[in-house]
Tab-separated table of all heavy atoms in Angstrom:
chain	number	residue	atom	x	y	z
A	171	MET	N	-1.279	191.545	-5.279
A	171	MET	CA	-1.827	190.542	-4.415
A	171	MET	C	-1.668	189.138	-4.987
A	171	MET	O	-1.596	188.190	-4.233
A	171	MET	CB	-3.298	190.829	-4.165
A	171	MET	CG	-3.527	192.180	-3.494
A	171	MET	SD	-5.164	192.334	-2.875
A	171	MET	CE	-4.950	191.794	-1.224
A	172	THR	N	-1.600	189.032	-6.305
A	172	THR	CA	-1.486	187.704	-6.921
A	172	THR	C	-0.040	187.272	-7.043
A	172	THR	O	0.228	186.154	-7.369
A	172	THR	CB	-2.109	187.714	-8.313
A	172	THR	OG1	-1.368	188.610	-9.134
A	172	THR	CG2	-3.566	188.099	-8.275
A	173	GLY	N	0.882	188.202	-6.829
A	173	GLY	CA	2.304	187.882	-6.997
A	173	GLY	C	2.764	188.130	-8.424
A	173	GLY	O	3.929	188.007	-8.728
A	174	GLY	N	1.831	188.447	-9.320
A	174	GLY	CA	2.164	188.731	-10.707
A	174	GLY	C	2.683	190.161	-10.847
A	174	GLY	O	2.541	190.984	-9.924
A	175	THR	N	3.259	190.459	-11.970
A	175	THR	CA	3.731	191.820	-12.220
A	175	THR	C	3.013	192.397	-13.426
A	175	THR	O	2.558	191.666	-14.306
A	175	THR	CB	5.243	191.868	-12.501
A	175	THR	OG1	5.502	191.066	-13.656
A	175	THR	CG2	6.037	191.336	-11.307
A	176	ASP	N	2.887	193.676	-13.447
A	176	ASP	CA	2.313	194.376	-14.567
A	176	ASP	C	3.463	194.837	-15.442
A	176	ASP	O	4.145	195.799	-15.127
A	176	ASP	CB	1.473	195.535	-14.094
A	176	ASP	CG	0.823	196.315	-15.224
A	176	ASP	OD1	0.966	195.895	-16.378
A	176	ASP	OD2	0.158	197.324	-14.958
A	177	GLU	N	3.684	194.128	-16.545
A	177	GLU	CA	4.833	194.422	-17.408
A	177	GLU	C	4.785	195.834	-17.973
A	177	GLU	O	5.813	196.399	-18.295
A	177	GLU	CB	4.899	193.414	-18.550
A	177	GLU	CG	5.109	191.981	-18.103
A	177	GLU	CD	6.442	191.749	-17.408
A	177	GLU	OE1	7.427	192.429	-17.754
A	177	GLU	OE2	6.497	190.892	-16.516
A	178	ASP	N	3.628	196.420	-18.105
A	178	ASP	CA	3.521	197.748	-18.698
A	178	ASP	C	3.546	198.872	-17.660
A	178	ASP	O	3.396	200.031	-17.994
A	178	ASP	CB	2.223	197.847	-19.499
A	178	ASP	CG	2.250	196.912	-20.713
A	178	ASP	OD1	3.343	196.702	-21.271
A	178	ASP	OD2	1.180	196.384	-21.072
A	179	SER	N	3.753	198.529	-16.401
A	179	SER	CA	3.706	199.542	-15.368
A	179	SER	C	4.953	200.425	-15.334
A	179	SER	O	4.921	201.512	-14.792
A	179	SER	CB	3.536	198.910	-14.002
A	179	SER	OG	4.723	198.208	-13.625
A	180	GLY	N	6.033	199.945	-15.910
A	180	GLY	CA	7.275	200.713	-15.879
A	180	GLY	C	8.050	200.546	-14.579
A	180	GLY	O	9.098	201.147	-14.407
A	181	SER	N	7.525	199.781	-13.639
A	181	SER	CA	8.195	199.661	-12.345
A	181	SER	C	9.555	198.956	-12.431
A	181	SER	O	10.462	199.343	-11.688
A	181	SER	CB	7.302	198.975	-11.299
A	181	SER	OG	6.994	197.667	-11.677
A	182	PRO	N	9.761	197.976	-13.329
A	182	PRO	CA	11.121	197.424	-13.420
A	182	PRO	C	12.137	198.467	-13.837
A	182	PRO	O	13.259	198.470	-13.358
A	182	PRO	CB	10.991	196.307	-14.476
A	182	PRO	CG	9.549	195.900	-14.418
A	182	PRO	CD	8.813	197.190	-14.125
A	183	LEU	N	11.755	199.375	-14.750
A	183	LEU	CA	12.679	200.429	-15.147
A	183	LEU	C	12.960	201.368	-14.000
A	183	LEU	O	14.103	201.763	-13.755
A	183	LEU	CB	12.088	201.195	-16.344
A	183	LEU	CG	12.972	202.282	-16.923
A	183	LEU	CD1	14.320	201.725	-17.351
A	183	LEU	CD2	12.268	202.952	-18.073
A	184	ALA	N	11.950	201.702	-13.234
A	184	ALA	CA	12.127	202.581	-12.069
A	184	ALA	C	13.013	201.902	-11.033
A	184	ALA	O	13.859	202.549	-10.401
A	184	ALA	CB	10.781	202.941	-11.482
A	185	THR	N	12.848	200.606	-10.852
A	185	THR	CA	13.662	199.870	-9.895
A	185	THR	C	15.131	199.858	-10.353
A	185	THR	O	16.028	200.074	-9.539
A	185	THR	CB	13.146	198.414	-9.757
A	185	THR	OG1	11.812	198.465	-9.277
A	185	THR	CG2	14.009	197.628	-8.788
A	186	ALA	N	15.371	199.600	-11.622
A	186	ALA	CA	16.730	199.619	-12.156
A	186	ALA	C	17.366	200.997	-11.987
A	186	ALA	O	18.527	201.111	-11.624
A	186	ALA	CB	16.738	199.194	-13.621
A	187	ASP	N	16.581	202.045	-12.271
A	187	ASP	CA	17.083	203.419	-12.098
A	187	ASP	C	17.430	203.697	-10.639
A	187	ASP	O	18.473	204.279	-10.351
A	187	ASP	CB	16.046	204.399	-12.599
A	187	ASP	CG	16.553	205.828	-12.576
A	187	ASP	OD1	17.661	206.071	-13.087
A	187	ASP	OD2	15.837	206.700	-12.005
A	188	ALA	N	16.597	203.231	-9.720
A	188	ALA	CA	16.880	203.455	-8.316
A	188	ALA	C	18.114	202.688	-7.874
A	188	ALA	O	18.928	203.190	-7.102
A	188	ALA	CB	15.682	203.004	-7.467
A	189	ASP	N	18.301	201.467	-8.408
A	189	ASP	CA	19.490	200.675	-8.088
A	189	ASP	C	20.746	201.365	-8.590
A	189	ASP	O	21.773	201.420	-7.874
A	189	ASP	CB	19.398	199.283	-8.699
A	189	ASP	CG	18.348	198.396	-8.030
A	189	ASP	OD1	17.907	198.721	-6.903
A	189	ASP	OD2	17.986	197.368	-8.639
A	190	LEU	N	20.687	201.907	-9.792
A	190	LEU	CA	21.853	202.630	-10.327
A	190	LEU	C	22.148	203.878	-9.511
A	190	LEU	O	23.306	204.188	-9.240
A	190	LEU	CB	21.622	203.007	-11.771
A	190	LEU	CG	21.743	201.884	-12.792
A	190	LEU	CD1	21.286	202.345	-14.174
A	190	LEU	CD2	23.173	201.384	-12.852
A	191	SER	N	21.117	204.591	-9.124
A	191	SER	CA	21.317	205.796	-8.301
A	191	SER	C	21.976	205.442	-6.977
A	191	SER	O	22.888	206.138	-6.517
A	191	SER	CB	19.988	206.495	-8.042
A	191	SER	OG	19.455	206.998	-9.236
A	192	GLY	N	21.525	204.356	-6.362
A	192	GLY	CA	22.128	203.923	-5.101
A	192	GLY	C	23.570	203.514	-5.261
A	192	GLY	O	24.435	203.843	-4.433
A	193	THR	N	23.860	202.819	-6.359
A	193	THR	CA	25.250	202.402	-6.628
A	193	THR	C	26.147	203.617	-6.861
A	193	THR	O	27.264	203.678	-6.320
A	193	THR	CB	25.283	201.479	-7.854
A	193	THR	OG1	24.503	200.332	-7.566
A	193	THR	CG2	26.724	201.060	-8.174
A	194	ARG	N	25.654	204.587	-7.617
A	194	ARG	CA	26.463	205.799	-7.857
A	194	ARG	C	26.725	206.540	-6.559
A	194	ARG	O	27.842	207.014	-6.330
A	194	ARG	CB	25.718	206.713	-8.831
A	194	ARG	CG	25.778	206.255	-10.244
A	194	ARG	CD	25.133	207.264	-11.203
A	194	ARG	NE	25.076	206.749	-12.524
A	194	ARG	CZ	23.949	206.409	-13.169
A	194	ARG	NH1	22.788	206.607	-12.571
A	194	ARG	NH2	23.964	205.896	-14.360
A	195	GLU	N	25.725	206.636	-5.703
A	195	GLU	CA	25.906	207.321	-4.423
A	195	GLU	C	26.923	206.587	-3.551
A	195	GLU	O	27.811	207.221	-2.942
A	195	GLU	CB	24.573	207.413	-3.693
A	195	GLU	CG	24.611	208.206	-2.391
A	195	GLU	CD	25.027	209.653	-2.593
A	195	GLU	OE1	24.730	210.241	-3.642
A	195	GLU	OE2	25.638	210.217	-1.663
A	196	LEU	N	26.838	205.284	-3.508
A	196	LEU	CA	27.795	204.486	-2.733
A	196	LEU	C	29.218	204.676	-3.258
A	196	LEU	O	30.170	204.816	-2.492
A	196	LEU	CB	27.409	203.002	-2.733
A	196	LEU	CG	28.311	202.093	-1.964
A	196	LEU	CD1	28.349	202.484	-0.489
A	196	LEU	CD2	27.850	200.651	-2.124
A	197	LEU	N	29.346	204.702	-4.579
A	197	LEU	CA	30.678	204.874	-5.170
A	197	LEU	C	31.259	206.251	-4.852
A	197	LEU	O	32.484	206.374	-4.716
A	197	LEU	CB	30.632	204.634	-6.674
A	197	LEU	CG	30.454	203.181	-7.067
A	197	LEU	CD1	30.267	203.050	-8.567
A	197	LEU	CD2	31.596	202.307	-6.576
A	198	THR	N	30.422	207.274	-4.738
A	198	THR	CA	30.975	208.599	-4.369
A	198	THR	C	31.536	208.554	-2.947
A	198	THR	O	32.512	209.257	-2.649
A	198	THR	CB	29.909	209.710	-4.469
A	198	THR	OG1	28.837	209.428	-3.580
A	198	THR	CG2	29.379	209.862	-5.869
A	199	VAL	N	30.966	207.741	-2.086
A	199	VAL	CA	31.492	207.594	-0.720
A	199	VAL	C	32.754	206.744	-0.732
A	199	VAL	O	33.719	207.055	-0.020
A	199	VAL	CB	30.416	206.955	0.191
A	199	VAL	CG1	30.968	206.641	1.559
A	199	VAL	CG2	29.197	207.864	0.295
A	200	LEU	N	32.773	205.704	-1.528
A	200	LEU	CA	33.914	204.787	-1.552
A	200	LEU	C	35.120	205.297	-2.344
A	200	LEU	O	36.242	204.891	-2.080
A	200	LEU	CB	33.494	203.417	-2.098
A	200	LEU	CG	32.524	202.620	-1.243
A	200	LEU	CD1	32.144	201.348	-1.945
A	200	LEU	CD2	33.137	202.319	0.106
A	201	LYS	N	34.866	206.160	-3.292
A	201	LYS	CA	35.959	206.587	-4.198
A	201	LYS	C	37.178	207.139	-3.464
A	201	LYS	O	38.307	206.731	-3.771
A	201	LYS	CB	35.418	207.638	-5.197
A	201	LYS	CG	36.340	207.872	-6.360
A	201	LYS	CD	35.788	208.902	-7.304
A	201	LYS	CE	34.914	208.240	-8.332
A	201	LYS	NZ	34.524	209.152	-9.422
A	202	PRO	N	37.046	208.028	-2.476
A	202	PRO	CA	38.230	208.505	-1.790
A	202	PRO	C	38.993	207.392	-1.058
A	202	PRO	O	40.223	207.395	-1.002
A	202	PRO	CB	37.703	209.542	-0.790
A	202	PRO	CG	36.345	209.903	-1.285
A	202	PRO	CD	35.824	208.734	-2.043
A	203	LEU	N	38.260	206.459	-0.488
A	203	LEU	CA	38.918	205.345	0.202
A	203	LEU	C	39.665	204.451	-0.788
A	203	LEU	O	40.793	204.023	-0.549
A	203	LEU	CB	37.866	204.499	0.955
A	203	LEU	CG	37.123	205.224	2.060
A	203	LEU	CD1	35.970	204.355	2.563
A	203	LEU	CD2	38.059	205.587	3.182
A	204	LEU	N	39.020	204.156	-1.929
A	204	LEU	CA	39.674	203.331	-2.940
A	204	LEU	C	40.904	204.050	-3.514
A	204	LEU	O	41.967	203.403	-3.743
A	204	LEU	CB	38.699	202.998	-4.075
A	204	LEU	CG	37.548	202.088	-3.689
A	204	LEU	CD1	36.546	202.010	-4.833
A	204	LEU	CD2	38.059	200.717	-3.335
A	205	ARG	N	40.787	205.337	-3.767
A	205	ARG	CA	41.903	206.102	-4.330
A	205	ARG	C	43.094	206.091	-3.360
A	205	ARG	O	44.235	205.955	-3.792
A	205	ARG	CB	41.470	207.529	-4.627
A	205	ARG	CG	42.516	208.315	-5.392
A	205	ARG	CD	42.031	209.699	-5.806
A	205	ARG	NE	41.062	209.559	-6.893
A	205	ARG	CZ	39.798	210.028	-6.840
A	205	ARG	NH1	39.373	210.662	-5.777
A	205	ARG	NH2	39.000	209.874	-7.859
A	206	ALA	N	42.828	206.194	-2.076
A	206	ALA	CA	43.896	206.203	-1.079
A	206	ALA	C	44.587	204.843	-0.979
A	206	ALA	O	45.796	204.765	-0.798
A	206	ALA	CB	43.357	206.633	0.275
A	207	ARG	N	43.805	203.773	-1.089
A	207	ARG	CA	44.371	202.450	-0.890
A	207	ARG	C	44.911	201.790	-2.159
A	207	ARG	O	45.808	200.981	-2.097
A	207	ARG	CB	43.317	201.544	-0.272
A	207	ARG	CG	42.996	202.009	1.133
A	207	ARG	CD	42.021	201.120	1.829
A	207	ARG	NE	41.730	201.691	3.134
A	207	ARG	CZ	40.772	201.295	3.902
A	207	ARG	NH1	39.983	200.304	3.516
A	207	ARG	NH2	40.583	201.848	5.085
A	208	SER	N	44.312	202.143	-3.292
A	208	SER	CA	44.750	201.521	-4.552
A	208	SER	C	44.491	202.501	-5.689
A	208	SER	O	43.485	202.407	-6.384
A	208	SER	CB	44.008	200.220	-4.775
A	208	SER	OG	44.421	199.607	-5.970
A	209	PRO	N	45.387	203.482	-5.891
A	209	PRO	CA	45.148	204.535	-6.869
A	209	PRO	C	44.887	204.020	-8.304
A	209	PRO	O	44.086	204.603	-9.030
A	209	PRO	CB	46.447	205.341	-6.851
A	209	PRO	CG	47.082	205.035	-5.535
A	209	PRO	CD	46.638	203.636	-5.195
A	210	SER	N	45.485	202.930	-8.687
A	210	SER	CA	45.294	202.429	-10.061
A	210	SER	C	43.966	201.708	-10.232
A	210	SER	O	43.515	201.525	-11.368
A	210	SER	CB	46.441	201.511	-10.441
A	210	SER	OG	46.415	200.338	-9.649
A	211	LEU	N	43.334	201.302	-9.158
A	211	LEU	CA	42.087	200.521	-9.241
A	211	LEU	C	40.989	201.283	-9.955
A	211	LEU	O	40.313	200.758	-10.837
A	211	LEU	CB	41.622	200.079	-7.868
A	211	LEU	CG	40.352	199.261	-7.839
A	211	LEU	CD1	40.549	197.943	-8.567
A	211	LEU	CD2	39.920	199.019	-6.401
A	212	LEU	N	40.787	202.549	-9.601
A	212	LEU	CA	39.716	203.336	-10.224
A	212	LEU	C	39.956	203.548	-11.701
A	212	LEU	O	39.046	203.498	-12.491
A	212	LEU	CB	39.547	204.692	-9.504
A	212	LEU	CG	39.014	204.573	-8.070
A	212	LEU	CD1	39.008	205.972	-7.426
A	212	LEU	CD2	37.614	203.990	-8.072
A	213	THR	N	41.213	203.781	-12.053
A	213	THR	CA	41.554	203.951	-13.487
A	213	THR	C	41.291	202.656	-14.236
A	213	THR	O	40.678	202.669	-15.297
A	213	THR	CB	43.029	204.349	-13.641
A	213	THR	OG1	43.267	205.538	-12.890
A	213	THR	CG2	43.363	204.585	-15.083
A	214	ARG	N	41.728	201.543	-13.683
A	214	ARG	CA	41.494	200.245	-14.339
A	214	ARG	C	40.002	199.952	-14.441
A	214	ARG	O	39.541	199.466	-15.482
A	214	ARG	CB	42.178	199.123	-13.568
A	214	ARG	CG	43.622	198.964	-13.893
A	214	ARG	CD	44.274	197.699	-13.362
A	214	ARG	NE	43.395	196.697	-12.845
A	214	ARG	CZ	43.473	196.192	-11.604
A	214	ARG	NH1	44.412	196.599	-10.775
A	214	ARG	NH2	42.674	195.267	-11.223
A	215	ALA	N	39.263	200.217	-13.400
A	215	ALA	CA	37.819	199.928	-13.409
A	215	ALA	C	37.092	200.775	-14.440
A	215	ALA	O	36.108	200.331	-15.023
A	215	ALA	CB	37.235	200.190	-12.023
A	216	ALA	N	37.590	201.973	-14.693
A	216	ALA	CA	36.931	202.842	-15.668
A	216	ALA	C	37.310	202.521	-17.116
A	216	ALA	O	36.568	202.886	-18.013
A	216	ALA	CB	37.303	204.312	-15.372
A	217	THR	N	38.444	201.817	-17.302
A	217	THR	CA	38.899	201.590	-18.672
A	217	THR	C	38.831	200.135	-19.132
A	217	THR	O	38.772	199.895	-20.330
A	217	THR	CB	40.348	202.076	-18.847
A	217	THR	OG1	41.173	201.406	-17.900
A	217	THR	CG2	40.461	203.586	-18.625
A	218	GLU	N	38.857	199.205	-18.219
A	218	GLU	CA	38.841	197.791	-18.592
A	218	GLU	C	37.449	197.209	-18.449
A	218	GLU	O	36.769	197.456	-17.461
A	218	GLU	CB	39.787	196.990	-17.694
A	218	GLU	CG	41.245	197.342	-17.875
A	218	GLU	CD	42.120	196.537	-16.927
A	218	GLU	OE1	41.644	195.535	-16.330
A	218	GLU	OE2	43.280	196.890	-16.773
A	219	PRO	N	37.025	196.383	-19.399
A	219	PRO	CA	35.734	195.708	-19.232
A	219	PRO	C	35.881	194.662	-18.130
A	219	PRO	O	36.954	194.068	-17.952
A	219	PRO	CB	35.488	195.043	-20.569
A	219	PRO	CG	36.817	194.949	-21.244
A	219	PRO	CD	37.637	196.061	-20.678
A	220	PRO	N	34.828	194.436	-17.367
A	220	PRO	CA	34.921	193.426	-16.302
A	220	PRO	C	35.123	192.023	-16.862
A	220	PRO	O	34.682	191.739	-17.975
A	220	PRO	CB	33.584	193.550	-15.567
A	220	PRO	CG	32.696	194.328	-16.450
A	220	PRO	CD	33.543	195.072	-17.428
A	221	ALA	N	35.782	191.171	-16.116
A	221	ALA	CA	35.973	189.797	-16.544
A	221	ALA	C	34.637	189.145	-16.758
A	221	ALA	O	33.701	189.300	-15.980
A	221	ALA	CB	36.765	189.045	-15.460
A	222	GLY	N	34.527	188.416	-17.853
A	222	GLY	CA	33.298	187.740	-18.184
A	222	GLY	C	32.204	188.640	-18.707
A	222	GLY	O	31.040	188.284	-18.777
A	223	SER	N	32.584	189.860	-19.105
A	223	SER	CA	31.582	190.807	-19.583
A	223	SER	C	31.101	190.430	-20.964
A	223	SER	O	31.734	189.656	-21.672
A	223	SER	CB	32.137	192.231	-19.582
A	223	SER	OG	33.207	192.332	-20.502
A	224	TRP	N	30.028	191.019	-21.370
A	224	TRP	CA	29.449	190.763	-22.681
A	224	TRP	C	30.342	191.339	-23.762
A	224	TRP	O	30.892	192.425	-23.623
A	224	TRP	CB	28.064	191.410	-22.790
A	224	TRP	CG	27.055	190.771	-21.914
A	224	TRP	CD1	26.818	191.088	-20.614
A	224	TRP	CD2	26.190	189.687	-22.234
A	224	TRP	NE1	25.828	190.290	-20.114
A	224	TRP	CE2	25.429	189.426	-21.092
A	224	TRP	CE3	25.986	188.947	-23.379
A	224	TRP	CZ2	24.460	188.430	-21.068
A	224	TRP	CZ3	24.999	187.974	-23.357
A	224	TRP	CH2	24.279	187.713	-22.209
A	225	ARG	N	30.466	190.634	-24.850
A	225	ARG	CA	31.200	191.134	-25.995
A	225	ARG	C	30.227	191.763	-26.974
A	225	ARG	O	29.070	191.362	-27.063
A	225	ARG	CB	31.921	189.972	-26.701
A	225	ARG	CG	32.974	189.344	-25.831
A	225	ARG	CD	33.717	188.277	-26.612
A	225	ARG	NE	32.723	187.437	-27.325
A	225	ARG	CZ	32.831	186.137	-27.528
A	225	ARG	NH1	33.886	185.525	-27.107
A	225	ARG	NH2	31.918	185.460	-28.161
A	226	THR	N	30.717	192.723	-27.709
A	226	THR	CA	29.903	193.361	-28.735
A	226	THR	C	29.746	192.375	-29.894
A	226	THR	O	30.710	191.774	-30.351
A	226	THR	CB	30.572	194.633	-29.245
A	226	THR	OG1	30.780	195.494	-28.146
A	226	THR	CG2	29.740	195.323	-30.308
A	227	LEU	N	28.533	192.205	-30.341
A	227	LEU	CA	28.263	191.301	-31.457
A	227	LEU	C	28.333	192.058	-32.767
A	227	LEU	O	27.884	193.200	-32.864
A	227	LEU	CB	26.875	190.674	-31.326
A	227	LEU	CG	26.667	189.806	-30.093
A	227	LEU	CD1	25.216	189.334	-30.048
A	227	LEU	CD2	27.593	188.610	-30.120
A	228	GLN	N	28.907	191.421	-33.738
A	228	GLN	CA	28.936	191.989	-35.068
A	228	GLN	C	27.741	191.437	-35.812
A	228	GLN	O	27.634	190.216	-36.013
A	228	GLN	CB	30.240	191.622	-35.810
A	228	GLN	CG	31.503	192.107	-35.103
A	228	GLN	CD	31.529	193.637	-35.052
A	228	GLN	OE1	31.127	194.300	-35.988
A	228	GLN	NE2	32.019	194.180	-33.959
A	229	ILE	N	26.839	192.278	-36.235
A	229	ILE	CA	25.637	191.822	-36.943
A	229	ILE	C	25.881	191.937	-38.449
A	229	ILE	O	26.216	193.012	-38.935
A	229	ILE	CB	24.419	192.670	-36.519
A	229	ILE	CG1	24.205	192.503	-35.021
A	229	ILE	CG2	23.196	192.263	-37.317
A	229	ILE	CD1	23.117	193.403	-34.445
A	230	ARG	N	25.715	190.841	-39.092
A	230	ARG	CA	25.918	190.793	-40.556
A	230	ARG	C	24.604	191.099	-41.232
A	230	ARG	O	23.571	190.558	-40.878
A	230	ARG	CB	26.415	189.461	-40.997
A	230	ARG	CG	27.743	189.101	-40.452
A	230	ARG	CD	28.170	187.755	-40.983
A	230	ARG	NE	29.254	187.203	-40.168
A	230	ARG	CZ	29.709	186.002	-40.253
A	230	ARG	NH1	29.173	185.143	-41.080
A	230	ARG	NH2	30.684	185.622	-39.491
A	231	LYS	N	24.675	191.952	-42.240
A	231	LYS	CA	23.485	192.233	-43.036
A	231	LYS	C	23.365	191.154	-44.104
A	231	LYS	O	24.320	190.799	-44.764
A	231	LYS	CB	23.580	193.622	-43.684
A	231	LYS	CG	23.554	194.720	-42.686
A	231	LYS	CD	23.594	196.060	-43.360
A	231	LYS	CE	23.553	197.169	-42.324
A	231	LYS	NZ	23.567	198.483	-42.942
A	232	SER	N	22.160	190.624	-44.235
A	232	SER	CA	21.951	189.596	-45.252
A	232	SER	C	21.939	190.221	-46.638
A	232	SER	O	21.487	191.352	-46.810
A	232	SER	CB	20.669	188.819	-44.978
A	232	SER	OG	19.590	189.727	-44.941
A	233	ALA	N	22.396	189.489	-47.576
A	233	ALA	CA	22.497	190.022	-48.950
A	233	ALA	C	21.143	190.092	-49.618
A	233	ALA	O	20.186	189.508	-49.368
A	233	ALA	CB	23.435	189.156	-49.777
């Protein structure tokens, strides 16, 4: 009612999980269409990081 969120409720995690589930379901529907129109696209999408993606950071241990 206040517009605030309860950080300990776990609802953001549940929302993210639901979003991922929806995306996976949509991709199962789109996969045959993508494969028929651009066979290499699915392979590239599975193996190449997206443009502008996060890089892995190398963490140095202090001496």
Side-chain angles (χ1 to χ4, degrees):
M171 299 194 94
T172 64
T175 60
D176 180 4
E177 297 296 328
D178 295 326
S179 70
S181 63
L183 183 57
T185 300
D187 185 51
D189 289 345
L190 285 172
S191 294
T193 300
R194 285 185 186 112
E195 184 62 31
L196 180 60
L197 288 174
T198 61
V199 173
L200 292 177
K201 195 180 270 190
L203 298 171
L204 293 171
R205 189 174 286 123
R207 293 182 182 169
S208 181
S210 66
L211 180 64
L212 292 175
T213 303
R214 278 192 10 236
T217 58
E218 294 179 13
S223 64
W224 292 88
R225 296 183 313 215
T226 302
L227 297 176
Q228 300 296 323
I229 299 173
R230 297 182 197 169
K231 294 183 179 180
S232 57

